[in-house]
Amino acid sequence: RHDYCLAKAVVSTQSTGGLVKQFGKTSTPALPSSKPVVDPEESVNRTIKLFIGGSLKRSANDSYRTITSSSGAVLGALPDATKKDARDAVEAAAKALPGWSGKTGYNRSQILYFLAENICRRKEDFAEVIAQSTGRKYDDGMQEVDTSLQRLFMAAAWADKMGSSPWEHKDPVGVIAITAPAQWPMLGLCSLMGPAIAAGNTVVIIPSDKFPLVAADLCQVVATSDIPGGVVNMLYGAQSHLSHILAQHQHVNASWYFGYPEGCHVVTREGITNNKQVWCEEYERRKWNSLVQGTGYTINQYCYNSKAVIMPAGDTFAN
């Protein structure tokens, strides 16, 4: 699988060699920790926090970057996650892994159903945030929310049906670092997060750095939906910088990256170096609003470590 992913991810060193060398080396400089100027007639800007171990936390260096809408209006302040924040998130995910993977598939499915139901109660809020952030129409945002809910309900339905069989033993992969596709701020995130945690994995997610407000709202719902602390962790900041950090972390068992070609090259190289599962694709290749490419076996196959059970014919068919 590593060789297959590497073959897909390696790009021409002549055209992208410089980008590969610079990928993830530095993050976008954070702004000073002073509050942005707010027009008193406008709505109050939001201050987002990292979601680590089931709690909202400030960045280790207490720095942030300004979030703007498609029209250029300031929407709020986004924390800039550091290497220490990434370590804390991985530690929280690893701590929550035994308890979450030890739950039955039926139990995990009920928790995921509850999460999807809580999101459904705030559909209008999510659609409005998507429209405001991306500049798309409200109806387009609502369609993305509806499709995201379908992904979560489907993941919940599969949670107790994707386990081991007499001929195949399946174990959760472990701690998965997910760099979500930037162009689908909610759909891409839910399409990856749902199957991963349904299978018993814990996740550290780097959401869209262009439209992060949707992920911030999602964390508020996760925190009140019976999902144990540490199962879902959210880091905000430059995706290239944070994905490189997580790809190098020895306690991350898998790296899922959906971004630029040079990022695929770097994440695959780092994953092979420390022997973790790697799934990398360029962000334009997969159609997340497609039922075939956005759900099903194409994603579920990466959520488990499968072991074939070989049984002698006499034991299988005797009597």
Side-chain angles (χ1 to χ4, degrees):
R1 177 174 292 174
H2 287 166
D3 294 338
Y4 172 73
C5 294
L6 182 62
K8 292 181 63 178
V10 169
V11 293
S12 173
T13 55
Q14 295 181 354
S15 59
T16 61
L19 295 176
V20 170
K21 292 180 180 179
Q22 295 299 321
F23 181 85
K25 298 299 182 183
T26 57
S27 62
T28 305
L31 299 176
S33 55
S34 59
K35 296 296 182 182
V37 179
V38 183
D39 186 345
E41 297 183 358
E42 297 293 335
S43 59
V44 178
N45 288 342
R46 299 177 54 181
T47 300
I48 301 172
K49 294 184 179 180
L50 306 175
F51 189 67
I52 300 175
S55 304
L56 298 174
K57 298 183 178 181
R58 295 184 180 275
S59 173
N61 60 4
D62 200 23
S63 61
Y64 74 93
R65 62 187 68 204
T66 300
I67 312 168
T68 58
S69 66
S70 57
S71 61
V74 176
L75 298 178
L78 181 73
D80 200 41
T82 65
K83 194 171 185 177
K84 181 182 183 304
D85 297 318
R87 290 200 303 266
D88 291 343
V90 174
E91 182 179 349
K95 185 178 180 180
L97 180 62
W100 180 247
S101 61
K103 292 182 181 296
T104 63
Y106 175 80
N107 195 341
R108 291 196 298 268
S109 71
Q110 294 304 304
I111 294 176
L112 275 172
Y113 278 130
F114 187 46
L115 171 64
E117 290 168 1
N118 288 338
I119 293 175
C120 191
R121 294 188 180 96
R122 295 184 53 184
K123 286 174 56 176
E124 293 78 10
D125 295 338
F126 280 101
E128 184 177 353
V129 170
I130 292 174
Q132 188 178 32
S133 301
T134 62
R136 289 150 52 189
K137 295 181 179 179
Y138 176 83
D139 291 342
D140 292 340
M142 182 60 72
Q143 184 176 4
E144 181 172 348
V145 175
D146 288 336
T147 308
S148 301
L149 286 170
Q150 292 176 10
R151 298 289 189 269
L152 290 177
F153 279 119
M154 188 171 294
W158 277 103
D160 58 346
K161 301 175 181 66
M162 295 189 297
S164 302
S165 67
W167 299 274
E168 186 180 25
H169 181 73
K170 294 181 179 180
D171 291 320
V173 173
V175 178
I176 302 178
I178 300 177
T179 303
Q183 74 275 26
W184 293 97
M186 186 173 184
L187 178 57
L189 193 156
C190 291
S191 297
L192 295 169
M193 180 190 72
I197 64 177
N201 303 288
T202 56
V203 294
V204 180
I205 302 174
I206 309 171
S208 170
D209 51 3
K210 295 181 179 179
F211 317 116
L213 286 180
V214 179
D217 286 346
L218 185 62
C219 288
Q220 296 176 359
V221 182
V222 169
T224 58
S225 297
D226 292 344
I227 296 180
V231 173
V232 176
N233 305 273
M234 203 79 68
L235 299 176
Y236 306 101
Q239 284 189 323
S240 60
H241 180 60
L242 294 174
S243 60
H244 193 196
I245 292 173
L246 293 176
Q248 292 177 321
H249 202 295
Q250 296 287 343
H251 288 241
V252 174
N253 303 108
S255 291
W256 296 359
Y257 177 86
F258 298 87
Y260 296 103
E262 58 270 19
C264 293
H265 181 98
V266 172
V267 171
T268 302
R269 183 188 63 198
E270 297 293 347
I272 293 175
T273 301
N274 52 40
N275 195 30
K276 61 166 54 74
Q277 182 204 85
V278 178
W279 179 21
C280 292
E281 288 187 13
E282 296 180 26
Y283 67 94
E284 293 180 342
R285 288 192 174 182
R286 185 173 291 268
K287 296 180 180 179
W288 292 101
N289 56 347
S290 166
L291 187 62
V292 175
Q293 297 188 24
T295 187
Y297 178 75
T298 56
I299 295 178
N300 295 340
Q301 63 178 325
Y302 295 100
C303 298
Y304 293 96
N305 287 326
S306 300
K307 302 175 184 177
V309 179
I310 301 177
M311 301 177 64
D315 293 342
T316 306
F317 302 105
N319 299 326

